[in-house]
Amino acid sequence: MKKTPLLNIALSQLIASLGHGDAIVIGDAGLPVPPGVPLIDLALTRGIPGFIETLQAILTEMEVEQHALASELAQHNRAIFDAIKALALPGALITSHVQLKERSRSARAIVRTGECTPYANIVLIAGVAF
């Protein structure tokens, strides 16, 4: 049995396969998945699992160098914005929601949560642990 909190096999395999600069997207239940981008669908029902809980679990295993958020998040979903800010992730990039969806086209995978609040999406860019 693993010692780290993240138990989902697909997420652990994804994180273990990342190289420096690779990106993954954690999205709300409504984020579109571009053709050809793998989807890890965790959504069970509205709000389960939540966006922040999913992000926190992924951060237990993933080395993050940079992250991108939609500028609309701060205005339309302050609770999620403040929760992300409290995690003190490195290298914030603020972009439009349209540009964030465009960035998702080159992601290694999109992780779909049960989050049903607006703009609850983030692009995590892998760093190196050495």
Side-chain angles (χ1 to χ4, degrees), residues 66-117:
Q66 205 169 37
H67 71 285
L69 301 170
S71 57
E72 294 90 343
L73 180 63
Q75 180 182 359
H76 297 288
N77 195 344
R78 194 64 193 199
I80 294 287
F81 178 81
D82 288 343
I84 292 169
K85 190 174 176 183
L87 294 171
L89 295 171
L93 298 169
I94 306 300
T95 186
S96 73
H97 185 61
V98 170
Q99 290 171 322
L100 188 134
K101 288 192 292 186
E102 186 62 35
R103 281 178 158 262
S104 73
R105 293 183 181 284
S106 62
R108 292 283 307 280
I110 294 179
V111 179
R112 180 177 176 244
T113 69
E115 188 70 42
C116 289
T117 62

Side-chain angles (χ1 to χ4, degrees), residues 50-65:
F51 173 84
I52 291 299
E53 294 81 12
T54 303
L55 175 59
Q56 289 171 323
I58 287 171
L59 292 175
T60 66
E61 290 193 10
M62 183 178 174
E63 184 70 32
V64 176
E65 176 177 274

